[in-house]
């Protein structure tokens, strides 16, 4: 659940929708809604509005924070993955966006670390051998074949929050404990040593979609991080939230 700080941060910024419902005649058109969500229309939206339109099941406040962080780090980025660790592991909580084509590429289950919790992730760490997940903004690196199969290295960009991710071998990889069948058996996903593990069936295409200098934003309503992250308090103009 968003913290009071997060609610204040969001409410202090105007959220304006560019999409209008139009005239009654337009509403009567069979293809009006499909036309409204075409990529040309999405180009008129700010990044956070675009993410929310593409992933309507995601919390728009989390998408706004992800957009803010990306605008500070790299407003010209082509791909962005977002994980909302405030959701239980039994729900899809990973989204991958193609920012150039304005497309949602993946909406997936994703695991958290053994040390972070059971069904719900509640504690996070930057400490080696903690087996906890980390929050914050990451840059993706190269893919490789490792002990967990096809995997993707991550570079944590936030000092003291996730900057030891590479050293900790926090990577995206596939796992057989990430599946609906595992949820049916145990009531939750299996847990990793801190890595965001995904379904085996989507591992290769998902990794290939965000490898090599793209971005991953992982969220949890941690008040200290929300108040202090440089990626929420940079000097870039608010207009840089726009994709154009």
């Amino acid at each position: 659940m968003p913290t009071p700080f997060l609610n204040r941060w969001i409410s202090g910024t105007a959220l304006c929708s560019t999409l209008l419902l139009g005239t009654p005649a337009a509403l009567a058109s069979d293809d009006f809604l499909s036309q409204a969500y075409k990529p040309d229309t999405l180009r008129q939206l700010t990044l956070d509005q675009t993410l929310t339109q593409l992933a309507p099941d995601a919390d728009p406040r989390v998408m706004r924070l992800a957009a803010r962080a990306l605008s500070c780090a790299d407003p010209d980025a082509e791909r962005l993955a977002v994980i909302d660790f405030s959701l239980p592991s039994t729900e899809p909580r990973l989204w991958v966006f193609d920012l150039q084509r304005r497309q949602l590429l993946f909406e997936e289950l994703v695991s958290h670390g053994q040390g972070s919790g059971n069904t719900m992730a509640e504690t996070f760490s930057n400490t080696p051998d903690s087996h906890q997940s980390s929050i914050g903004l990451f840059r993706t690196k190269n893919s490789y074949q490792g002990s967990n199969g096809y995997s993707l290295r991550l570079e944590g960009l936030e000092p003291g929050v996730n900057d030891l991710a590479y050293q900790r071998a926090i990577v995206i990889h596939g796992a057989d404990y990430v599946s609906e069948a595992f949820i049916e058996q145990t009531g939750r996903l299996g847990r990793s040593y801190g890595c965001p593990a995904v379904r085996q069936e989507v591992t290769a295409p998902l990794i290939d979609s965000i490898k090599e200098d793209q971005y991953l934003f992982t969220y949890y309503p941690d008040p200290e991080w929300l108040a202090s992250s440089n990626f929420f308090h940079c000097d870039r103009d608010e207009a840089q939230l726009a994709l154009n």
Side-chain angles (χ1 to χ4, degrees), residues 51-195:
L51 299 182
T52 298
Q53 294 285 4
L54 293 174
D57 294 333
D59 187 332
R61 292 165 291 192
V62 174
M63 293 297 141
R64 183 162 185 81
L65 287 173
R68 178 65 177 176
L70 188 64
S71 74
C72 288
D74 185 355
D76 297 321
E78 297 178 357
R79 302 284 175 87
L80 172 67
V82 179
I83 296 174
D84 183 356
F85 276 134
S86 70
L87 296 174
S89 66
T90 53
E91 296 182 16
R93 53 181 181 172
L94 163 63
W95 298 267
V96 178
F97 301 94
D98 183 328
L99 304 179
Q100 300 298 309
R101 294 183 174 86
R102 278 75 171 181
Q103 293 178 349
L104 176 65
L105 302 180
F106 297 93
E107 182 174 10
E108 287 290 325
L109 298 167
V110 63
S111 71
H112 54 255
Q114 295 174 355
S116 288
N118 291 316
T119 303
M120 301 292 299
E122 298 176 337
T123 56
F124 299 85
S125 175
N126 194 37
T127 304
D129 300 321
S130 66
H131 293 181
Q132 293 183 9
S133 298
S134 295
I135 55 175
L137 188 66
F138 301 78
R139 183 182 292 117
T140 64
K141 306 301 287 183
N142 61 295
S143 59
Y144 68 99
Q145 287 287 345
S147 59
N148 289 305
Y150 195 51
S151 304
L152 177 63
R153 291 187 173 96
L154 300 172
E155 175 190 13
L157 302 179
E158 305 208 37
V161 176
N162 63 18
D163 61 336
L164 296 182
Y166 194 94
Q167 175 185 334
R168 295 177 60 205
I170 300 301
V171 301
I172 296 177
H173 64 79
D176 56 10
Y177 53 75
V178 180
S179 68
E180 293 290 350
F182 196 96
I183 293 173
E184 291 176 4
Q185 293 173 3
T186 66
R188 59 167 172 78
L189 286 187
R191 297 163 300 161
S192 66
Y193 282 1
C195 297

Side-chain angles (χ1 to χ4, degrees), residues 211-230:
K211 66 182 181 181
E212 298 174 358
D213 297 324
Q214 302 306 320
Y215 293 87
L216 167 66
F217 177 81
T218 63
Y219 168 80
Y220 186 77
D222 178 273
E224 183 177 354
W225 169 64
L226 290 169
S228 63
S229 174
N230 290 334

